[in-house]
Amino acid sequence: MTTARLTIDPHFVTGRIQRRLFGGFVEHLGRHIYDGVYEPGHPTADAEGFRQDVIDLVRELGVSTIRYPGGNFVSGFRWEDSVGPREQRPHRLDLAWHSTETNEVGLHEFASWLEKVGSDLMMAVNLGTRGTLEALDLLEYSNIRGGTALSELRRRNGRDEPFGVEMWCLGNEMDGPWQLGHRSADDYGKIASQTAKGMRQIDPGVKLVVCGSSSAHMPTFGEWERVVLSHTYDDVDYISCHAYYEEKDGDIDSFLASAVDMDHFIETVIATADHVGAVRGSTKKIDISFDEWNVWYIDRYHGVDKIEGIDNWPVAPRLLEDVYSVVDAVVFGSLMISLLKHADRVTSASLAQLVNVIAPIMTEPGGPAWRQTTFYPFSITSRLAQGEALELKLDAPTYTTQAYGEVPLVDAVATHDAEAGRSAVFLVNRSRTEPITVTVDVVGLGDVSVLEAHTLSDEDVHAKNTLERPERVTVHVNDSVRIDGGELTITLPPVSWSAIALAR
Ligand code: AHR
C-alpha cells in the first residue's frame, strides 16, 4: 500500500487568503458573452437578456473578482464603443479572434450582470493600440462621481453612481508577439508607468496590475519582469502571471505534475520582483495577480478553430470550447493548491475563463447550461478555503516525470480559519495506478471532526461532461476518511483531487 504523511500546524501560516484569489475572467471571445452569459431569446433569460441558468451556476462557482473585457481582445478595444444607446454602438472587427464585436453588451450591461452574479469588476485598459489618455478617460468615466464630461456622460447613459472599479490591468500580455501593439519591456514599462501615475492622480484608491510574462516559457521571461518593474515598481501593486497547461503527446505523468511548473513560475517572479525592490532600496512588496490560469488545449485553436479570410468575421463563433476530462480537473485542482500555497504573495488570481471559452460552465443556445469537470475543484475550493493558508510538512513518495524530474505523488495544502473554527485540506494523488492512503496529523487543530470529504476521480480518466451526458463526472463523498486521536486518514484513488472540511 502506498502511503503519505502530512502534518498540519495552524502556527505555520503562509498568508491570509484573499477572496480575490478566486477570481474569474470574461473576455469578448467566441460564445463567452453572446450565447453564453447573454442570450435574450433563451427560456431562462431575464429582462436584460442574461441567462438565469448561467447566473445561478456562476454564483454556485463562487467567483470573486472578474477580469474584463480581455485578454487579447482588449488590445484592439475602444471602450467608448461599448457605452451609450445600443442601437448606435458600432460593429467592429475584433482582430484578436477574427470575429465581429457588436458591442451589444458593454460596460454598463456587464456591470449589471456582475451585480447579479455577486462579483466585482477588474478592468483591463488597452495599452496595445491605445495609450495613457484613453485609459484615463475610461477611469474618469468609471470612477468619478460627476461634474466632468465623462462622468456626466456615464450618468446620461443611465448609471448615476460611479462603477467604483478598484482593480485595473495595465494592458494584456504585452510581451507576446501575437498581441496587437506588442512592445519591448522597456517601451511597455515606460507607458505602463506613465499610465499608472495618471490613474492614481484621478483615483488614489485604484490597485494596478502591470503585465508580467504571458508564460514562464517566453524567451523574455525573467528579464521582462525585471525591466518592466524597474520602470513601474513605485507605481503598481501587482505583476501578472499567465499559465495554461495541457496533456501533450499522451504524457499524463508530466501533465499531472503541472503545478510544479506553476510553483516555480510564482517563486521566480517573486524573486525577480524582490530583486528589483532590493536594488531600489524599497521596502514595498509587489504581489502577483495570476490573472490567467487554466488547462487549455491551445494547439486545437491553432489547428482547428482559427478563423481566417477577409470576408469571414463571424459574431460569437465557437472558439476555444475545450471539453475537460477528469485528469484535466485533477490538474486544475492542483493549480488551485499551488495558488493557495503562495497565498502570501499571490493575492489575486483569475480563472481563464468562465463560460464556453476554456470554461467551467458550458451552454447550448436555447438549451441547457452545465458544469464541466473543472467546475467542482473551483467551487469547492472557493467555498472551503477560508482564513489563512498553512505551510504543511509533507512526506510522500515520488515518481519520475519527463518534464519535471522527480515529483511527489501527493500534493496538498491546508487552510485554517481560527475565528470560525474551520479548517480544510486539499489533496491530489498524481499516481495513475496506485491509491494512496494519507495520514494527516491534525493534533495542532484541536479536537476536530470531519464536516465534508469530496473526491473527484473516475476509472476513465478521460471521462467528460457533455451536452448529452452533463453529469457523467461529478464529485463523490469520500467515505474512506477517518479521524481518531488527532490523526486523520483518507485514501485517495489514482488520479484524484480531494477536499476535506474540518470543524472544531
Ligand atoms: O484566455 C485566452 C487568451 O489567452 C487571452 O485572450 C490571452 O490573454 C491569452 O493569451
Side-chain angles (χ1 to χ4, degrees), residues 25 27 29 67 70-73 96-97 172-173 178-179 214 242 244 292 296 298 320 352-353 357-358:
F25 173 32
E27 179 164 7
L29 193 183
R67 184 169 174 252
N72 295 338
F73 171 81
W97 303 105
N172 175 68
E173 294 191 346
W178 58 86
Q179 199 69 217
S214 46
H242 291 181
Y244 293 100
E292 288 189 32
W296 178 13
I298 196 165
L320 278 58
Q353 299 195 13
V357 172
I358 45 173

Side-chain angles (χ1 to χ4, degrees), residues 347-401:
T347 53
S348 176
S350 311
L351 161 62
Q353 299 195 13
L354 213 54
V355 183
N356 288 332
V357 172
I358 45 173
I361 298 166
M362 296 301 288
T363 71
E364 211 33 49
W370 66 97
R371 301 167 188 81
Q372 292 237 46
T373 56
T374 52
F375 186 98
Y376 297 101
F378 193 99
S379 60
I380 295 172
T381 308
S382 169
R383 182 168 59 82
L384 297 182
Q386 306 280 348
E388 291 167 325
L390 302 181
E391 243 176 71
L392 290 185
K393 170 100 182 59
L394 169 65
D395 188 3
T398 61
Y399 72 119
T400 309
T401 66

Side-chain angles (χ1 to χ4, degrees), residues 17 42 71 109 118 159 201 235 283 309 323 333 375 411 441 445 495:
I17 300 160
H42 191 271
E109 294 78 23
R159 172 85 185 203
Q201 278 174 257
D235 307 317
T283 51
V323 181
F375 186 98
D411 200 6
D441 178 338
L445 296 177
V495 188

Side-chain angles (χ1 to χ4, degrees), residues 149-196:
L150 292 170
S151 56
E152 289 300 326
L153 178 62
R154 183 200 67 240
R155 297 180 65 193
R156 283 199 301 282
N157 286 338
R159 172 85 185 203
D160 209 33
E161 288 298 305
F163 291 111
V165 183
E166 197 181 5
M167 294 287 284
W168 292 81
C169 301
L170 300 166
N172 175 68
E173 294 191 346
M174 297 307 302
D175 65 320
W178 58 86
Q179 199 69 217
L180 269 176
H182 162 230
R183 294 166 202 265
S184 68
D186 226 16
D187 289 348
Y188 171 65
K190 284 179 197 158
I191 191 175
S193 163
Q194 189 182 322
T195 306

